[in-house]
Amino acid sequence: MGTDMSQRKLCKPWEHRSSRRQLLGTMAAGGLGLRSFLQPSVADELAKNDKQVLLIWLDGGMSQLESWDPKPNTEFGGPFRAIPTSVPGINVCELLQHTAKQMHHLAVLRSVCTQDNSHSAGVARINRGDPKNRGVEYPFLGSAVAKLLGPTSSGMPPYVWIKPYSGGFKASDAGFLGAKYGALALGDGKPPDNLLLNKSISAEENELRNELRQKFNERYAIGRRKEWTEANSYVYELAKKLMERGDLFDESSFTDKDRERYGTHELGRYLLLARRTLETGVRFVKVNSYHWDSHGDNFNACDSLIRQFDQPFAALIEDLHDRSMLNNVLVIVMSEFGRTPKINSHVGRDHWPEAWSIAMAGAGIKRGVVVGKTNDQGTFVDSQPHDIGDLFHTWFKAMGVSEGLMQYDNHGQPLPVAHDDCSPISELLA
Amino acid sequence: MRFGLYRKIVHSLILMMLGMPALSAEDRPLALQIDEMIAAKFEGQIPAPGSDDAEFLRRICLDLSGRIPTADETRRFLDNPTVDKRAQMVDQLLAAPTYAQRMQELFHVVLMERRGDNDKWTNYLRTAFEQNKHWDQIVRELLFPDAEDESRRGAGFFYSKRLEAYGQNPTDYPGLTRDVGRLFLGSDLQCAQCHNHLFIDDYKQHDFQGLYSVYLNLSIKSGLEFPAVTEKPMQKKLEFVSVFDSTQRETGPRIPFATEFAIPEQSKEGPAVSVLALLADEFPTQGDTLFAKNIANRLWFVMMGRGLVHPLDLHHSGNPPSHPELLDLLASEFAAHQYDIKWMLRELALTQTYQRSSRFPVTLVDTTGAAAGASTEVNTAQISPECYVLFNEKRMLAEQLLHSTLQATGNLDRLQQPAADGKPNPELVELTARYVAPFANEAREPEDQISPTVKGALFTLNDETLLQLLSRQPGNLIDRLITMTDEQLLADELYLSVFTRKPTDAECKELLAWLAQNGDGREKAIGLWAWSMLTSMEFVVNH
C-alpha cells in the first residue's frame, strides 16, 4: 500500500502521456485556460498587452514638503534644503538624494487635490480612485487591473501584495469584482502557506489528479452556469503557477550587491522582492510601508522614513531602466493624502488632502517632468488641481487600457472603471 | 411606559392586510403561491426541469443538516417508492438534532461574520434552534442579552464582540449601529451617520443617530464567565449635525424608520430603566415591515441562493425586490406564523422553485452524422440569478464543506463523538479551524457568494488535512473501497459517498480502467480519484 507511483513503470514520462490520454478520454484536452475567462476579442487585445504596475503605498501620508515639493526658507518649509536633480530646473528635498539622480526617469504631479482627510475614508477613496457612488464597493487599483488586464502571458497571479504583518489571500481589495480578484499577500515578504507540493504526492500524480479534477469540473459545468467553474479553474491555474515559481521567495538568491543597494531594512527588502516579482511576470505588485503618519516630530520622522524610501526606490528605478523594463512597468508612489504645511505644536504635520504630490515613472509616462504647482507657501494648488480620478484615467491610459475596456459589467449593471467626470492628465502622458 | 401593545396590534393589522389577497385567494399552500409568483416572471424563458431525487437529497441535506448524506442514506432515499418522500425527508431533517447544529453554524456566520467565537454563544444559538425559538424572540434576546437570565445571556456575545477594540480602532459604536440596521432591518445606514443618505432617500440621518444614541451608553462588562455588556442610563438626547448644512439636530432613542421614543425617567429608588430593553422589546414590531422582510429575504437567500432583495442589506426604494409581491407575501405569512423559522424553511423547501435542477438538460443533436455527439446547450450566461429558472448554485460554508468531506471520507461518525468531558471532539475543533482559515471570508465580510481563492486551492492541493482524511483507516471510505472485490459496487459506493449519486456508465468505465492501470497501487489510485472528486465543483458547491 502507498506505493509511490513515480517509481513505477506507469509513470515514465512517455508512457504516462499515452496512458493519460487513454484514461481521460477526449474531454481532457485543452480545458479552461486563463484566456477562456475572457471574450475572444478582448483576449486578443490583452494578449498583446504586457504592461505591469508597481504601486508603492506609503500608508499614513508622506509629507510632500519633505519630498517632492520642497519649500525651503518659507514659513512652513521646515529645516531641510532643496537639492538639484538630474533634470535641470527641478529640485526635490535633500532627503531624496538618491532619487534626485533618477529624476530624468520620473514624473511628479504637484497639484494633487483630493477629498478626504481621515485615514479610514481616505485610504479606500484614493485606492479606489474615488469613482462616483453607484451603491457598490469599487475595487482597489490592483484588483481593478487584475480584472481589466488579467495575468500577463506568464500566467502568474495578477495581483501580489508585499506587506508587513500577515500574509494570505486578501479579498477585501476586490470589492464587487469578487474574491478571485483579491491580492495574494506575502506577509513580510514570506511565501503563502501550502506553496510546496505535499511530500506524499509526486509531480506526476499531481498532474494526473488535477487533470481528473478538471475533467470532473468540465462535466459538471455542462448545462450549468459557467462562471463558478471558470473562477475555480482560474484560482487552481494561479496556484499551479505559484508552485512552479517557488524560487521567487528564496531571499538567499539575491546578491550582496543588491542587498547593499536596496538596504536590509523592511522597505528595502520589499522593493527588492518587488523587482523579482515583476521579473517573473506578475501584472500588479503593491508594496506597503506603514507609519508615515507623522503628527509629531515630523522632521526627525521624515529624516528616517524618506531616506528608507529613497535608497531602494532609486535603486529600483535604476534597475528597471537597466533591464529595459521601465518602458513596460508603470511605477506609482502615493499615500492617502499629503501633510499640512502648518507645523503643529508637536512639531508634526497633520493630514492635508488640499495640495500634495504623487510621483510616477515608466510605462506610458513622460520622463523628467514636474506637472502642476502649489503656491509659494505650499498651502494650496496654484494651477489646475487634479483629483485621484484624473490620475486613475491617466494610469489606465498609460497601461494601454482602451476606451472599450473602461467599463465593468457588474451582473448587467454597467459601471465606469474610473470617475465619469475626470479625464487623463495629458501633460503626464508620454 | 409600555406603549408598545397598541403598536403591536396596529402592526399585526397592517401585516394581516398585506396578507389579505393571499388569505382570500383560498387556503392554497404557500409553496404553490410562491411558485406561481416566480413563474409569472419567467418572461418566456423555459425553466430547468425538477431536480432528480439525488440532486434534491444532496441539496436539502446540506441546507437543513449542514452535510451531505451517507451512501446508505442516499440508497435508501433513491429506493424509497413513497410518493411524498421529499416532504417526509424535509420533516425528518427538520426534526433531527443536526438541524440545530446547522442553524447554529449558519446564524453564527450571518450574525458574527467571522469575528470570532465563544462557547456560551455557541450554546445559546444551539439551544435556541433546538427549542425552535422564533426569530422575533431571538432578536429581542440579541438586542437585550439580559445577564440575569441564564438562558439568554450567551446572546451577549453579539454586542460584546463588536464592542472590542480591534487593531488600532477604538470601540466601533457606528459599526455596531450599522450592523443592527443591516442584519435585522436589511438596511445599511452607514452613510446616514453623517448626513441623510445621498442616494437612498429612505435612509435619514436621524434613523442612524437614534439607534446610535442607545449604543453610545453600552460597554463591555468584563470579569464574567459569559459575554456581557452594561448600559449607562441615558441622560439626554443626542445632538448631531449634518455635514452638509451644519444645522444642529437632536434625537432620542429610535428604532430606524420608526418614531423616536421618550427617554425614560429614572427613579432614584428602583432599578434603572433600560433603554436597551425597551428598544429590544419594540424592535420586531416597528420599522415598517422591514423587520419581517429582512428575515424573510435572508431565509429565502439561504434556500434559493439569491435574495429577492440583493444585496441582502440594501432594502430601500431604489433597490426594489425582484418579486415585490412575493416578498410582501413571505413577510406577512412569516409574521402571521410568529416568525417560526422551521415553518418558513419547510415551506420554501417544498416549492418547485427550490426543487428545480441547477442544470439544463443537454440535447444531443445528431448521433450518426459528422457531428456525432455534438450537443446544444442553453446559454446559461444569459440567465440572471433573480429569475430562478435555474436553481442558483450556492457557496458552502467552511463548516458545511468540512462536515461533508468528513461524511464522504467516512470520518464523521468517529469525530462527532464528544470527548470524555462532554466537550466537542478536540480533533474536530482543530479540523474546523483548519478549514475556516482557507475557506471562510475575512472577518466582517458577508459570505454570500461562491468565491474560490488561491489560498483555498493551495490548501486542497498541498495541505496534509485532506490527504490524511483520505488515508486508510479502519472503516473509512478508502478502507471500505479497498476491500471491495466487485468493481461495479466499488464505483457505486465511491460515487454515492462523494457525489451523492450513482456513477454513469461512462464514469464507471473510466474508473475501472484507472484501477486496472494501477493494479498494484490500488490504495493510491483510489485515493487520487477520490481526491479529484472531493476537490471538484460537484462536491465543493451546493447545487
Side-chain angles (χ1 to χ4, degrees), chain A residues 26-244:
Chain A
T26 49
M27 280 180 70
L32 294 157
L34 295 176
R35 291 289 153 197
S36 71
F37 213 25
L38 303 156
Q39 288 153 15
S41 58
V42 177
D44 287 347
E45 184 182 331
L46 295 186
K48 293 175 214 137
N49 188 335
D50 53 357
K51 297 280 191 290
Q52 293 170 275
V53 185
L54 170 63
L55 169 61
I56 302 169
W57 179 264
L58 306 175
D59 195 88
M62 182 198 220
S63 170
Q64 69 282 5
L65 294 154
E66 274 69 54
S67 58
W68 309 112
D69 193 10
K71 301 285 180 184
N73 307 315
T74 65
E75 184 183 358
F76 305 129
F80 298 111
R81 292 175 304 145
I83 54 169
T85 66
S86 58
V87 179
I90 296 180
N91 290 354
V92 295
C93 177
E94 63 177 317
L95 298 177
L96 291 176
Q97 54 165 328
H98 297 96
T99 303
K101 294 176 193 140
Q102 304 297 328
M103 188 65 214
H104 54 292
H105 294 306
L106 307 182
V108 173
L109 182 67
R110 283 177 176 162
S111 50
V112 182
C113 175
T114 52
Q115 302 296 324
D116 221 301
N117 70 355
S118 77
H119 297 292
S120 55
V123 169
R125 190 185 285 266
I126 299 301
N127 272 295
R128 295 190 173 118
D130 197 12
K132 264 190 194 165
N133 189 334
R134 286 185 165 79
V136 300
E137 199 164 88
Y138 262 76
F140 281 22
L141 185 59
S143 293
V145 171
K147 165 75 180 176
L148 293 168
L149 298 181
T152 65
S153 54
S154 70
M156 286 291 282
Y159 184 12
V160 169
W161 182 10
I162 303 169
K163 64 189 282 295
Y165 315 119
S166 71
F169 194 78
K170 306 282 182 187
S172 52
D173 281 10
F176 73 83
L177 295 177
K180 75 181 171 210
Y181 296 106
L184 179 75
L186 310 178
D188 197 31
K190 299 286 185 295
D193 288 343
N194 294 311
L195 185 67
L196 298 178
L197 183 59
N198 191 288
K199 288 192 293 289
S200 67
I201 301 288
S202 72
E204 288 84 358
E205 287 163 359
N206 186 44
E207 201 176 327
L208 281 168
R209 67 180 184 161
N210 276 305
E211 287 191 34
L212 277 177
R213 184 182 55 74
Q214 190 67 6
K215 176 177 173 172
F216 297 158
N217 282 350
E218 285 168 25
R219 217 173 250 162
Y220 172 80
I222 296 171
R224 287 196 169 92
R225 290 197 173 84
K226 306 289 181 273
E227 57 189 298
W228 308 126
T229 306
E230 285 173 11
N232 184 279
S233 299
Y234 175 74
V235 298
Y236 273 91
E237 291 268 356
L238 296 185
K240 182 177 171 211
K241 287 289 170 190
L242 265 184
M243 288 167 65
E244 286 166 6

Side-chain angles (χ1 to χ4, degrees), chain B residues 221-500:
Chain B
K221 189 171 184 178
S222 48
L224 300 171
E225 49 183 58
F226 54 91
V229 290
T230 58
E231 182 189 8
K232 277 188 304 192
M234 188 182 267
Q235 305 292 353
K236 60 184 178 73
K237 292 189 173 192
L238 178 68
E239 294 180 350
F240 63 94
V241 180
S242 165
V243 294
F244 293 147
D245 57 16
S246 306
T247 340
Q248 195 84 32
R249 294 191 177 82
E250 58 174 25
T251 179
R254 184 195 296 264
I255 296 165
F257 316 113
T259 48
E260 176 183 340
F261 47 92
I263 298 174
E265 279 176 42
Q266 303 288 350
S267 83
K268 291 214 172 75
E269 292 83 46
V273 181
S274 164
V275 178
L276 205 57
L278 289 178
L279 174 98
D281 196 45
E282 302 283 323
F283 202 93
T285 59
Q286 296 223 358
D288 190 19
T289 53
L290 278 173
F291 180 81
K293 283 180 177 163
N294 167 66
I295 183 62
N297 190 52
R298 284 180 185 274
L299 293 176
W300 176 271
F301 168 78
V302 167
M303 296 301 272
M304 308 298 185
R306 170 89 188 181
L308 292 168
V309 170
H310 205 93
L312 304 181
D313 53 12
L314 280 180
H315 284 255
H316 60 83
S317 48
N319 182 38
S322 57
H323 300 69
E325 63 303 329
L326 174 55
L327 185 58
D328 285 346
L329 174 69
L330 294 177
S332 59
E333 285 287 311
F334 194 31
H337 285 82
Q338 292 84 45
Y339 301 106
D340 179 347
I341 293 172
K342 222 178 230 197
W343 171 84
M344 185 73 171
L345 292 174
R346 182 176 188 279
E347 292 298 319
L348 296 178
L350 296 179
T351 59
Q352 282 177 20
T353 309
Y354 178 79
Q355 297 192 14
R356 194 162 287 133
S357 179
S358 65
R359 79 194 299 176
F360 283 111
V362 175
T363 351
L364 290 176
V365 181
D366 183 357
T367 49
T368 52
S375 57
T376 52
E377 265 190 75
V378 176
N379 183 359
T380 50
Q382 304 296 326
I383 293 173
S384 65
E386 63 266 21
C387 69
Y388 305 98
V389 296
L390 196 59
F391 184 78
N392 292 314
E393 296 149 274
K394 300 188 284 191
R395 174 181 180 145
M396 284 209 224
L397 296 182
E399 291 81 357
Q400 282 173 300
L401 185 62
L402 172 63
H403 294 153
S404 297
T405 304
L406 296 175
Q407 181 84 289
T409 54
N411 292 289
L412 188 61
D413 281 350
R414 178 175 61 85
L415 291 170
Q416 273 192 326
Q417 300 302 320
D421 57 2
K423 291 199 170 148
N425 187 319
E427 202 182 332
L428 184 61
V429 173
E430 155 80 18
L431 278 171
T432 307
R434 276 201 242 165
Y435 261 68
V436 164
F439 297 116
N441 283 5
E442 287 168 62
R444 297 170 190 82
E445 283 177 35
E447 295 182 9
D448 55 3
Q449 65 170 347
I450 300 171
S451 297
T453 63
V454 173
K455 183 159 77 168
L458 285 171
F459 178 87
T460 47
L461 285 164
N462 299 328
D463 193 86
E464 282 293 314
T465 310
L466 182 56
L467 293 170
Q468 274 170 10
L469 294 174
L470 279 170
S471 65
R472 185 175 184 181
Q473 284 173 41
N476 79 357
L477 176 71
I478 301 299
D479 191 48
R480 290 203 311 273
L481 295 174
I482 281 178
T483 51
M484 294 175 97
T485 46
D486 183 324
E487 308 241 292
Q488 177 67 46
L489 289 181
L490 184 154
D492 278 1
E493 181 70 14
L494 176 57
Y495 275 74
L496 284 165
S497 297
V498 181
F499 283 167
T500 317

Side-chain angles (χ1 to χ4, degrees), chain A residues 294-347:
Chain A
S294 49
H295 289 286
D297 200 13
N298 173 69
F299 302 104
N300 281 317
C302 284
D303 195 11
S304 164
L305 282 167
I306 293 183
R307 288 183 199 282
Q308 287 179 40
F309 162 79
D310 173 56
Q311 181 194 348
F313 178 70
L316 179 80
I317 294 294
E318 191 179 13
D319 284 353
L320 291 179
H321 174 68
D322 287 352
R323 289 155 204 244
S324 304
M325 289 170 71
L326 205 50
N327 285 330
N328 217 40
V329 180
L330 170 64
V331 182
I332 300 166
V333 183
M334 67 174 172
S335 303
E336 60 266 47
F337 34 59
R339 308 213 70 87
T340 46
K342 191 170 176 212
I343 299 162
N344 68 25
S345 54
H346 298 276
V347 203

